Structures are given as C-alpha cells and as structure tokens.
Amino acid sequence: MMMEPLVPVPGVQGRWEYMRRTVDALSVHFRVVTFSLRGNSIDEYADQIARALDERKIDRAIVCGVSFGGRVALRFAATARARTSALVLVS
C-alpha cells in the first residue's frame, strides 16, 4: 500500500530534528518527507519543499507548516497548488 506523502515544515528554528518524535509518529500513517530550512526568504524556503518532493519523485503531498513553517507552507501551497494535496497549519 502506498502511503500518502506528508511534508512537515519546521518552525523558526528550521531544524526538522526538533520534530523527530512527531515525524516518527506520523511515519506510521504517511510517507514523511523531512528537511531543515535553509535560506533567507520565504520563497527560498518554499522552493526547498519543491526540491524535497522532486528528489523523491513525488508529484503531490500534504504540506504541514508548524509555527513559522506555516508561512512557508502557505507560500508553497499558494504558488504550487498542483503539488499541494492539502495544507495544514499548526500552532
């Protein structure tokens, strides 16, 4: 069974490792795609989501932004609608 891809976008600290327990729990139900934020702008961060999906040959995913990551997720969803199957904003 193929698991639906889910991209959790980390908060202002930018490190996915701070969400490791959440990622582990979500991995039971989703194909979780992680990365740490690098760059200087919302657009650069949103481009990272696209690259993470491209590297794994994923066309569409649920994008979940946590705290500051919500701004990044929202930007990605607004500019890459065809690649966003759902948008979740947390905290």
Side-chain angles (χ1 to χ4, degrees), residues 69-91:
R71 294 187 68 197
V72 177
L74 182 60
R75 180 66 176 168
F76 178 79
T79 58
R81 291 181 193 165
R83 300 201 75 184
T84 308
S85 59
L87 173 64
V88 180
L89 303 176
V90 180
S91 184

Side-chain angles (χ1 to χ4, degrees), residues 14-48:
R15 303 285 310 217
W16 79 266
E17 292 88 353
Y18 290 116
M19 300 189 308
R20 184 179 302 276
R21 290 177 61 187
T22 301
V23 167
D24 290 345
L26 289 169
S27 293
V28 173
H29 303 284
F30 298 94
R31 179 180 176 191
V32 180
V33 175
T34 60
F35 61 91
S36 295
L37 294 175
R38 290 182 181 82
N40 296 308
S41 72
I42 295 294
D43 288 328
E44 288 176 321
Y45 299 143
D47 288 345
Q48 280 186 265

